[in-house]
Amino acid sequence: MRPGLKVYNSLSKEKEIFEPLNAPYVGMYVCGPTVYSNVHLGNVRTFMSFDVIYRYLKHLDFKVRYVRNITDVGHLQGDEDDGEDKISKRAKLENLEPMEIVQKYTNDFHDVMAMFNILPPDIEPSATGHIIEQIEMTRTLLEKGLAYEVDGSVYFDVEAYNKTNHYGKLSGRKLEDLISNTRELDGQDEKRNPVDFALWKKATKGHLMRWPSPWGDGFPGWHLECSVMSTKYLGANFDIHGGGMDLKFPHHECEIAQNHGATDEEGAKYWLHTNMLTVNGQKMSKSLGNSFLPSELIAGSHELLDKPYSPMTVRFFMLQSHYSSTLDFSNEALTAAQKGYTKLANGLKLIGELSYTEDGAEKNEKAIKQIEQICNNCYFAMNDDFNTALTIGHLFNLLKKINSIHTGNLKYSEIGEEVFDKMISTFKTFTVNVLGLVEEERINSKSVLNILTDLYKEAKDAKDYDKVDEIRAKLKDLGLVLKDMKTKVDWAYEE
Ligand code: AMP
Ligand code: ZN
């Protein structure tokens, strides 16, 4: 079933037939988290969308190399070149080493990914692990006349690049408009043009994260790491580059310019962008203060939540919309998702209990045709730019047939063993392997517990004793106790 997959390419702005550069190998790069805070549910939506894409490509027998980076330096506050490094800022606030911040929030990120059954990538490189390569690419861009140095910092020269290329082709912008819409240089600014962006920034006195370079001590600009790590692990030309819609400009636009400028190759062939998780129509974001954390969701402790929701309910909720549509958070939608997920989970339980038995009934060609059609429809839906929403609808139709067999309204022999097996395996494969929806108890409960333990510790530090008691009571119901240790909080089974 490999042929026929179509993907919406943000670069051509068209749905294109997916033709990897070097089939069956597929290279996929997705911008990972900036590890200076806990990931929120909006971030989860983006990583979950690419998880399904990864899973489906693998299901189609492509040999996927999935690279998802960790941004652990260079992402500045306000995303401007003169902001403060997000990780350094957090390190000062929490009185920790920057690398402690990085480790703490990388651990949290991994726990959250496991909790939502999001598969780890094949390579998870970090920006600080690739300083040498970033210096190298900066040097190449300087040699090619596409960058310039000012007082220990190096900037990408957008106008020079745009002479023979189109800076703005991904996000549909024109350089002239960009220049007239940006603020004037204020005299203090070292850049030749306000649209230029930093490849390398000089570290001022007291700047915590710094490395030696040919231009003095400094640190890399945010956009550079993704250009360097994607080309290092996937080559100058590779298949898929993904990220949230909000990264299209300037991050991905700058990446394209750097890749093309440094290698003369095109970089990614297909650009895929996920749309935003919103709250009352507004993008969920830390800076807007409307984000909530996975831990608050499973504990039901956020003011916007009527009750707790399980990770699989949330996964179902997210996959019920297409990745390129916005998805608005609401209790009603989550409650409906809980019902929908439970139906699928019962289906999974049921197929484990059914086994084909000849019962002598006559063949029912109509039922056979219907089942085969539904099985094909699952592929058609996923082949149509990974339409998970439609796929779920088909799985419900398949479940109706499975239930008919279970209740005896449809006899085993009416459809025959081969069709029965196909029906069961299609249901299982698409629900579990492709959509990643599993029976809840199969989820790694330890990662869920780690997250709850962190929430407990935060409540305790904030002296929110009502919340502390509430979390203790909820865990007690599950037969677990929390133990306050000197430096951390542990959990144990209640004896
Ligand atoms: P960050 O750690 O902020 O760089 O974000 C990690 C990923 O989450 C990026 O691909 C963002 O585009 C994505 N993202 C951020 N906010 C949302 C949201 N509200 N909905 C969906 N994806 C988001
Ligand atoms: Zn990136």
Side-chain angles (χ1 to χ4, degrees), residues 29-32 69 71 222-223 225-227 241-242 247 251-252 255:
Y29 186 91
V30 172
C31 294
N69 68 302
T71 296
W222 171 38
H223 314 304
E225 59 170 288
C226 290
S227 285
H241 194 311
L247 297 186
H251 183 55
H252 290 160
E255 257 192 68

Side-chain angles (χ1 to χ4, degrees), residues 88-143:
S88 295
K89 185 170 178 201
R90 192 60 176 234
K92 282 181 204 155
L93 272 174
E94 295 195 23
N95 208 10
L96 293 172
E97 273 293 314
M99 277 301 139
E100 275 181 294
I101 291 291
V102 165
Q103 194 62 54
K104 176 174 169 184
Y105 293 110
T106 302
N107 291 349
D108 168 75
F109 173 63
H110 287 157
D111 283 343
V112 170
M113 294 296 102
M115 172 173 135
F116 288 102
N117 199 23
I118 295 173
L119 296 174
D122 299 292
I123 305 179
E124 193 174 47
S126 69
T128 56
H130 296 77
I131 299 291
I132 293 171
E133 291 88 340
Q134 292 181 81
I135 291 174
E136 211 42 57
M137 194 178 266
T138 304
R139 212 203 299 256
T140 306
L141 290 166
L142 276 167
E143 280 164 10

